[in-house]
């Protein structure tokens, strides 16, 4: 199946936001493990969530050093989180994720 770069990029952002919001993967290493994406791709994808008006912020663990903590979705903007949940299988297939 041929998928445009725009669609795969959009789906990747939605999937990463869902992984963070569902607390399945709330850190860059956890996202790398869950998806197999390289560190830089995971970091860039998190940063790109703002382009979709998804508010994702890093929350530092109290008393911890060296960026210990997790990401949290504070606002989905115009994105319907329920649509993502209903289409998870399709999103994973397009991205080639298990």
């Amino acid at each position: 199946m041929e998928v445009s770069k725009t669609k795969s990029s959009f789906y990747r952002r939605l999937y990463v936001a869902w992984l963070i919001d569902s607390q399945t993967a709330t850190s860059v290493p956890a996202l790398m493990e869950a998806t197999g994406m390289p560190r830089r791709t995971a970091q860039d994808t998190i940063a790109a969530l703002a382009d979709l008006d998804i508010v994702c912020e890093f929350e530092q663990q109290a008393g911890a050093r060296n960026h210990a903590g997790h990401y949290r979705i504070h606002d989905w903007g115009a994105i319907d989180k329920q649509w993502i949940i209903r289409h998870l299988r399709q999103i994973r297939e397009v991205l080639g994720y298990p």
Side-chain angles (χ1 to χ4, degrees):
M1 169 175 46
E2 188 71 26
V3 178
S4 72
K5 289 176 72 173
T6 301
K7 184 173 192 170
S8 63
S9 175
F10 180 65
Y11 276 15
R12 185 177 308 106
R13 292 175 193 187
L14 295 180
Y15 190 58
V16 164
W18 177 82
L19 287 170
I20 292 169
D21 193 62
S22 67
Q23 298 183 354
T24 303
T26 60
S27 66
V28 171
L31 287 169
M32 293 167 55
E33 185 176 330
T35 63
M37 68 177 65
R39 174 176 291 280
R40 187 66 189 177
T41 303
Q43 292 169 329
D44 290 348
T45 302
I46 291 168
L49 295 178
D51 293 341
L52 300 177
D53 288 333
I54 296 174
V55 179
C56 179
E57 296 176 347
F58 185 78
E59 296 181 350
Q60 182 76 25
Q61 186 175 347
R65 296 170 31 181
N66 299 329
H67 300 288
H70 61 273
Y71 286 95
R72 181 174 303 216
I73 302 295
H74 290 280
D75 189 341
W76 281 87
I79 302 298
D80 179 6
K81 180 171 65 169
Q82 296 306 314
W83 184 93
I84 298 168
I85 293 167
R86 288 191 309 272
H87 293 87
L88 273 176
R89 175 176 283 162
Q90 174 186 346
I91 292 169
R92 287 183 180 128
E93 284 177 11
V94 165
L95 296 172
Y97 296 154

